Amino acid sequence: MSNVRAVLFDKDGTLFDFYRTWGPVTEAAALVVAHGDPIRAEIILTGSGKDPKTGRYRPGSPIASGSNQEIAQLWADLLGRHDEAGEIYRQMESMFLERQRQGAVPVLDLPVFFSRLRHRGLKLGVATMDSELGALTAMDRYGARDCLDFICGFDTGHGVKPGGGMVEAFAREMGIATGAIAVVGDSPHDIEMARAGGAGRAIGVLTGVSPREALLECGADIVIDSIADLETVL
């Protein structure tokens, strides 16, 4: 992968362990949205991707890969409160931002990791289906914001996954070809985004929602256990 000049990371499930970061707060948010009714909370969680037997989320499901706005609209629809999606989104976003201020669980020491990659001359970015504010909050919490050249959320204006707009925007801002970018992510949408945007490499990781087979089937060039192994394949 000697032609790689930049790396674009997904955030949740890639830089941050998905279940340790988002499992508890997603359950809590569903209970709040369901007005404290655990049965209705479970209905909206199951309806948006949770396997009731394993407690895990399906790869490509709204909770695993959608934006908070998409999840809020789905939860509103599942509860028959179609016109309350905006209020549900505000409730969720507040809880999720607080989680990123206080309790997100990074896969490793992000500033140290990013610094090593930058020392190799690589440009670094984050592309997430979280809000831009959510991404900035998480990076600030762990002192990693200044290590990044690009941070993009679903609401930044470059489109959403699995479209390729985030990859293309990163390439434009860095002044490089999309083929010089390696995309690293934990879901099929990340791999599909890499392909749609013309990224040169699509690298899957297993710290999120998807098994190795699912990432390879949707076109990953390689799947590694976590970003801790990334330097060995660049």
Side-chain angles (χ1 to χ4, degrees), residues 49-81:
K50 179 182 176 181
D51 184 326
K53 293 182 179 179
T54 66
R56 297 181 71 82
Y57 295 102
R58 295 191 307 274
S61 65
I63 288 182
S65 302
S67 71
N68 292 345
Q69 278 189 338
E70 291 170 337
I71 297 168
Q73 184 63 64
L74 177 58
W75 284 8
D77 292 342
L78 289 169
L79 292 170
R81 292 158 48 192

mmCIF file of all heavy atoms in Angstrom, residues 49-81:
data_model
loop_
_atom_site.group_PDB
_atom_site.id
_atom_site.type_symbol
_atom_site.label_atom_id
_atom_site.label_comp_id
_atom_site.label_asym_id
_atom_site.label_seq_id
_atom_site.Cartn_x
_atom_site.Cartn_y
_atom_site.Cartn_z
ATOM 1 N N GLY A 49 -32.564 -2.565 14.388
ATOM 2 C CA GLY A 49 -31.366 -3.348 14.128
ATOM 3 C C GLY A 49 -30.868 -4.260 15.222
ATOM 4 O O GLY A 49 -29.941 -5.035 15.002
ATOM 5 N N LYS A 50 -31.457 -4.217 16.417
ATOM 6 C CA LYS A 50 -30.947 -5.051 17.500
ATOM 7 C C LYS A 50 -31.475 -6.478 17.386
ATOM 8 O O LYS A 50 -32.660 -6.700 17.160
ATOM 9 C CB LYS A 50 -31.366 -4.469 18.853
ATOM 10 C CG LYS A 50 -30.894 -5.274 20.053
ATOM 11 C CD LYS A 50 -31.386 -4.672 21.356
ATOM 12 C CE LYS A 50 -30.989 -5.536 22.555
ATOM 13 N NZ LYS A 50 -31.497 -4.961 23.828
ATOM 14 N N ASP A 51 -30.581 -7.439 17.538
ATOM 15 C CA ASP A 51 -30.974 -8.840 17.614
ATOM 16 C C ASP A 51 -31.372 -9.126 19.063
ATOM 17 O O ASP A 51 -30.524 -9.056 19.956
ATOM 18 C CB ASP A 51 -29.805 -9.743 17.205
ATOM 19 C CG ASP A 51 -30.178 -11.220 17.178
ATOM 20 O OD1 ASP A 51 -30.997 -11.645 18.010
ATOM 21 O OD2 ASP A 51 -29.635 -11.940 16.327
ATOM 22 N N PRO A 52 -32.637 -9.434 19.334
ATOM 23 C CA PRO A 52 -33.069 -9.609 20.722
ATOM 24 C C PRO A 52 -32.405 -10.788 21.429
ATOM 25 O O PRO A 52 -32.349 -10.813 22.661
ATOM 26 C CB PRO A 52 -34.585 -9.809 20.600
ATOM 27 C CG PRO A 52 -34.811 -10.273 19.207
ATOM 28 C CD PRO A 52 -33.746 -9.615 18.379
ATOM 29 N N LYS A 53 -31.892 -11.746 20.660
ATOM 30 C CA LYS A 53 -31.251 -12.914 21.276
ATOM 31 C C LYS A 53 -29.809 -12.625 21.683
ATOM 32 O O LYS A 53 -29.369 -13.038 22.751
ATOM 33 C CB LYS A 53 -31.293 -14.098 20.318
ATOM 34 C CG LYS A 53 -32.702 -14.633 20.060
ATOM 35 C CD LYS A 53 -32.659 -15.845 19.144
ATOM 36 C CE LYS A 53 -34.068 -16.390 18.902
ATOM 37 N NZ LYS A 53 -34.048 -17.563 17.986
ATOM 38 N N THR A 54 -29.087 -11.929 20.828
ATOM 39 C CA THR A 54 -27.655 -11.694 21.099
ATOM 40 C C THR A 54 -27.380 -10.309 21.685
ATOM 41 O O THR A 54 -26.329 -10.089 22.289
ATOM 42 C CB THR A 54 -26.836 -11.835 19.809
ATOM 43 O OG1 THR A 54 -27.217 -10.781 18.902
ATOM 44 C CG2 THR A 54 -27.088 -13.186 19.159
ATOM 45 N N GLY A 55 -28.303 -9.377 21.477
ATOM 46 C CA GLY A 55 -28.080 -8.006 21.919
ATOM 47 C C GLY A 55 -27.178 -7.211 20.996
ATOM 48 O O GLY A 55 -26.891 -6.043 21.254
ATOM 49 N N ARG A 56 -26.744 -7.821 19.902
ATOM 50 C CA ARG A 56 -25.881 -7.137 18.949
ATOM 51 C C ARG A 56 -26.726 -6.519 17.830
ATOM 52 O O ARG A 56 -27.910 -6.817 17.696
ATOM 53 C CB ARG A 56 -24.838 -8.105 18.378
ATOM 54 C CG ARG A 56 -23.893 -8.631 19.447
ATOM 55 C CD ARG A 56 -22.856 -9.572 18.871
ATOM 56 N NE ARG A 56 -21.870 -8.882 18.050
ATOM 57 C CZ ARG A 56 -20.807 -8.243 18.531
ATOM 58 N NH1 ARG A 56 -20.596 -8.172 19.826
ATOM 59 N NH2 ARG A 56 -19.950 -7.668 17.711
ATOM 60 N N TYR A 57 -26.090 -5.655 17.042
ATOM 61 C CA TYR A 57 -26.802 -4.955 15.984
ATOM 62 C C TYR A 57 -26.391 -5.489 14.620
ATOM 63 O O TYR A 57 -25.225 -5.796 14.383
ATOM 64 C CB TYR A 57 -26.545 -3.456 16.065
ATOM 65 C CG TYR A 57 -27.119 -2.849 17.335
ATOM 66 C CD1 TYR A 57 -26.296 -2.550 18.414
ATOM 67 C CD2 TYR A 57 -28.481 -2.620 17.455
ATOM 68 C CE1 TYR A 57 -26.826 -2.033 19.583
ATOM 69 C CE2 TYR A 57 -29.020 -2.109 18.615
ATOM 70 C CZ TYR A 57 -28.197 -1.810 19.681
ATOM 71 O OH TYR A 57 -28.725 -1.304 20.838
ATOM 72 N N ARG A 58 -27.360 -5.601 13.734
ATOM 73 C CA ARG A 58 -27.088 -6.123 12.399
ATOM 74 C C ARG A 58 -26.206 -5.153 11.613
ATOM 75 O O ARG A 58 -26.456 -3.938 11.622
ATOM 76 C CB ARG A 58 -28.389 -6.330 11.619
ATOM 77 C CG ARG A 58 -29.309 -7.388 12.207
ATOM 78 C CD ARG A 58 -30.438 -7.696 11.219
ATOM 79 N NE ARG A 58 -31.122 -6.482 10.793
ATOM 80 C CZ ARG A 58 -32.130 -5.914 11.441
ATOM 81 N NH1 ARG A 58 -32.554 -6.439 12.576
ATOM 82 N NH2 ARG A 58 -32.708 -4.819 10.972
ATOM 83 N N PRO A 59 -25.193 -5.647 10.919
ATOM 84 C CA PRO A 59 -24.403 -4.787 10.030
ATOM 85 C C PRO A 59 -25.313 -4.129 8.995
ATOM 86 O O PRO A 59 -26.183 -4.767 8.422
ATOM 87 C CB PRO A 59 -23.425 -5.763 9.364
ATOM 88 C CG PRO A 59 -23.351 -6.919 10.304
ATOM 89 C CD PRO A 59 -24.699 -7.040 10.920
ATOM 90 N N GLY A 60 -25.136 -2.844 8.802
ATOM 91 C CA GLY A 60 -25.946 -2.132 7.829
ATOM 92 C C GLY A 60 -27.283 -1.673 8.360
ATOM 93 O O GLY A 60 -28.031 -0.985 7.653
ATOM 94 N N SER A 61 -27.628 -2.015 9.598
ATOM 95 C CA SER A 61 -28.901 -1.584 10.181
ATOM 96 C C SER A 61 -28.835 -0.109 10.557
ATOM 97 O O SER A 61 -27.751 0.474 10.651
ATOM 98 C CB SER A 61 -29.231 -2.426 11.413
ATOM 99 O OG SER A 61 -28.278 -2.194 12.445
ATOM 100 N N PRO A 62 -29.986 0.544 10.787
ATOM 101 C CA PRO A 62 -29.968 1.973 11.120
ATOM 102 C C PRO A 62 -29.101 2.319 12.324
ATOM 103 O O PRO A 62 -28.355 3.299 12.285
ATOM 104 C CB PRO A 62 -31.449 2.281 11.378
ATOM 105 C CG PRO A 62 -32.178 1.308 10.503
ATOM 106 C CD PRO A 62 -31.363 0.043 10.573
ATOM 107 N N ILE A 63 -29.182 1.545 13.390
ATOM 108 C CA ILE A 63 -28.370 1.870 14.571
ATOM 109 C C ILE A 63 -26.891 1.694 14.276
ATOM 110 O O ILE A 63 -26.054 2.466 14.734
ATOM 111 C CB ILE A 63 -28.798 1.021 15.778
ATOM 112 C CG1 ILE A 63 -30.162 1.498 16.290
ATOM 113 C CG2 ILE A 63 -27.758 1.112 16.895
ATOM 114 C CD1 ILE A 63 -30.663 0.764 17.506
ATOM 115 N N ALA A 64 -26.556 0.694 13.493
ATOM 116 C CA ALA A 64 -25.148 0.428 13.196
ATOM 117 C C ALA A 64 -24.563 1.403 12.196
ATOM 118 O O ALA A 64 -23.387 1.757 12.288
ATOM 119 C CB ALA A 64 -24.993 -0.999 12.668
ATOM 120 N N SER A 65 -25.365 1.858 11.240
ATOM 121 C CA SER A 65 -24.806 2.617 10.123
ATOM 122 C C SER A 65 -25.535 3.912 9.798
ATOM 123 O O SER A 65 -25.050 4.691 8.976
ATOM 124 C CB SER A 65 -24.789 1.739 8.857
ATOM 125 O OG SER A 65 -24.046 0.562 9.064
ATOM 126 N N GLY A 66 -26.693 4.147 10.389
ATOM 127 C CA GLY A 66 -27.469 5.328 10.045
ATOM 128 C C GLY A 66 -27.042 6.561 10.815
ATOM 129 O O GLY A 66 -26.292 6.487 11.785
ATOM 130 N N SER A 67 -27.545 7.707 10.388
ATOM 131 C CA SER A 67 -27.314 8.947 11.134
ATOM 132 C C SER A 67 -28.295 9.021 12.298
ATOM 133 O O SER A 67 -29.325 8.335 12.314
ATOM 134 C CB SER A 67 -27.508 10.160 10.223
ATOM 135 O OG SER A 67 -28.884 10.329 9.907
ATOM 136 N N ASN A 68 -27.989 9.879 13.263
ATOM 137 C CA ASN A 68 -28.907 10.051 14.387
ATOM 138 C C ASN A 68 -30.258 10.573 13.923
ATOM 139 O O ASN A 68 -31.294 10.232 14.501
ATOM 140 C CB ASN A 68 -28.297 10.986 15.423
ATOM 141 C CG ASN A 68 -27.093 10.369 16.114
ATOM 142 O OD1 ASN A 68 -26.876 9.162 16.035
ATOM 143 N ND2 ASN A 68 -26.303 11.189 16.787
ATOM 144 N N GLN A 69 -30.279 11.389 12.895
ATOM 145 C CA GLN A 69 -31.548 11.881 12.362
ATOM 146 C C GLN A 69 -32.365 10.736 11.775
ATOM 147 O O GLN A 69 -33.582 10.676 11.959
ATOM 148 C CB GLN A 69 -31.301 12.954 11.303
ATOM 149 C CG GLN A 69 -31.039 14.335 11.879
ATOM 150 C CD GLN A 69 -31.005 15.407 10.804
ATOM 151 O OE1 GLN A 69 -30.781 15.129 9.633
ATOM 152 N NE2 GLN A 69 -31.216 16.648 11.207
ATOM 153 N N GLU A 70 -31.715 9.841 11.060
ATOM 154 C CA GLU A 70 -32.423 8.688 10.491
ATOM 155 C C GLU A 70 -32.977 7.793 11.594
ATOM 156 O O GLU A 70 -34.114 7.304 11.500
ATOM 157 C CB GLU A 70 -31.484 7.897 9.587
ATOM 158 C CG GLU A 70 -31.095 8.623 8.306
ATOM 159 C CD GLU A 70 -29.990 7.924 7.551
ATOM 160 O OE1 GLU A 70 -29.223 7.155 8.161
ATOM 161 O OE2 GLU A 70 -29.881 8.151 6.336
ATOM 162 N N ILE A 71 -32.183 7.575 12.634
ATOM 163 C CA ILE A 71 -32.642 6.749 13.749
ATOM 164 C C ILE A 71 -33.817 7.420 14.451
ATOM 165 O O ILE A 71 -34.818 6.770 14.788
ATOM 166 C CB ILE A 71 -31.490 6.492 14.738
ATOM 167 C CG1 ILE A 71 -30.375 5.694 14.063
ATOM 168 C CG2 ILE A 71 -32.001 5.743 15.973
ATOM 169 C CD1 ILE A 71 -29.090 5.645 14.864
ATOM 170 N N ALA A 72 -33.736 8.741 14.657
ATOM 171 C CA ALA A 72 -34.818 9.468 15.323
ATOM 172 C C ALA A 72 -36.120 9.365 14.534
ATOM 173 O O ALA A 72 -37.192 9.154 15.113
ATOM 174 C CB ALA A 72 -34.427 10.931 15.507
ATOM 175 N N GLN A 73 -36.051 9.502 13.214
ATOM 176 C CA GLN A 73 -37.256 9.400 12.400
ATOM 177 C C GLN A 73 -37.833 7.991 12.457
ATOM 178 O O GLN A 73 -39.055 7.816 12.562
ATOM 179 C CB GLN A 73 -36.957 9.778 10.947
ATOM 180 C CG GLN A 73 -38.189 9.796 10.051
ATOM 181 C CD GLN A 73 -39.196 10.837 10.482
ATOM 182 O OE1 GLN A 73 -38.915 12.036 10.453
ATOM 183 N NE2 GLN A 73 -40.384 10.403 10.914
ATOM 184 N N LEU A 74 -36.966 6.989 12.422
ATOM 185 C CA LEU A 74 -37.426 5.608 12.497
ATOM 186 C C LEU A 74 -38.100 5.340 13.836
ATOM 187 O O LEU A 74 -39.175 4.723 13.891
ATOM 188 C CB LEU A 74 -36.257 4.650 12.281
ATOM 189 C CG LEU A 74 -36.573 3.158 12.409
ATOM 190 C CD1 LEU A 74 -37.669 2.745 11.431
ATOM 191 C CD2 LEU A 74 -35.318 2.327 12.201
ATOM 192 N N TRP A 75 -37.477 5.795 14.926
ATOM 193 C CA TRP A 75 -38.070 5.586 16.244
ATOM 194 C C TRP A 75 -39.417 6.291 16.351
ATOM 195 O O TRP A 75 -40.359 5.741 16.906
ATOM 196 C CB TRP A 75 -37.112 6.075 17.327
ATOM 197 C CG TRP A 75 -35.965 5.136 17.565
ATOM 198 C CD1 TRP A 75 -35.636 4.029 16.831
ATOM 199 C CD2 TRP A 75 -34.990 5.220 18.604
ATOM 200 N NE1 TRP A 75 -34.512 3.430 17.343
ATOM 201 C CE2 TRP A 75 -34.091 4.126 18.427
ATOM 202 C CE3 TRP A 75 -34.765 6.101 19.648
ATOM 203 C CZ2 TRP A 75 -33.010 3.913 19.277
ATOM 204 C CZ3 TRP A 75 -33.686 5.891 20.500
ATOM 205 C CH2 TRP A 75 -32.820 4.814 20.324
ATOM 206 N N ALA A 76 -39.507 7.507 15.817
ATOM 207 C CA ALA A 76 -40.784 8.231 15.824
ATOM 208 C C ALA A 76 -41.846 7.439 15.062
ATOM 209 O O ALA A 76 -42.993 7.306 15.517
ATOM 210 C CB ALA A 76 -40.605 9.617 15.213
ATOM 211 N N ASP A 77 -41.475 6.890 13.908
ATOM 212 C CA ASP A 77 -42.420 6.116 13.105
ATOM 213 C C ASP A 77 -42.840 4.838 13.819
ATOM 214 O O ASP A 77 -44.023 4.466 13.814
ATOM 215 C CB ASP A 77 -41.807 5.782 11.744
ATOM 216 C CG ASP A 77 -41.618 7.005 10.858
ATOM 217 O OD1 ASP A 77 -42.258 8.051 11.132
ATOM 218 O OD2 ASP A 77 -40.813 6.921 9.901
ATOM 219 N N LEU A 78 -41.886 4.146 14.432
ATOM 220 C CA LEU A 78 -42.201 2.901 15.128
ATOM 221 C C LEU A 78 -43.123 3.135 16.319
ATOM 222 O O LEU A 78 -43.912 2.255 16.689
ATOM 223 C CB LEU A 78 -40.911 2.217 15.592
ATOM 224 C CG LEU A 78 -40.040 1.596 14.491
ATOM 225 C CD1 LEU A 78 -38.674 1.202 15.046
ATOM 226 C CD2 LEU A 78 -40.732 0.376 13.875
ATOM 227 N N LEU A 79 -43.040 4.329 16.899
ATOM 228 C CA LEU A 79 -43.886 4.662 18.048
ATOM 229 C C LEU A 79 -45.188 5.341 17.628
ATOM 230 O O LEU A 79 -46.007 5.688 18.480
ATOM 231 C CB LEU A 79 -43.118 5.570 19.015
ATOM 232 C CG LEU A 79 -41.938 4.924 19.747
ATOM 233 C CD1 LEU A 79 -41.127 5.981 20.479
ATOM 234 C CD2 LEU A 79 -42.438 3.861 20.735
ATOM 235 N N GLY A 80 -45.357 5.541 16.315
ATOM 236 C CA GLY A 80 -46.544 6.229 15.842
ATOM 237 C C GLY A 80 -46.553 7.712 16.171
ATOM 238 O O GLY A 80 -47.611 8.345 16.187
ATOM 239 N N ARG A 81 -45.365 8.286 16.401
ATOM 240 C CA ARG A 81 -45.244 9.715 16.736
ATOM 241 C C ARG A 81 -44.489 10.415 15.607
ATOM 242 O O ARG A 81 -43.452 11.018 15.808
ATOM 243 C CB ARG A 81 -44.508 9.856 18.078
ATOM 244 C CG ARG A 81 -45.313 9.332 19.267
ATOM 245 C CD ARG A 81 -44.457 8.964 20.465
ATOM 246 N NE ARG A 81 -43.498 9.990 20.821
ATOM 247 C CZ ARG A 81 -42.488 9.788 21.682
ATOM 248 N NH1 ARG A 81 -42.325 8.592 22.246
ATOM 249 N NH2 ARG A 81 -41.651 10.755 21.968
#
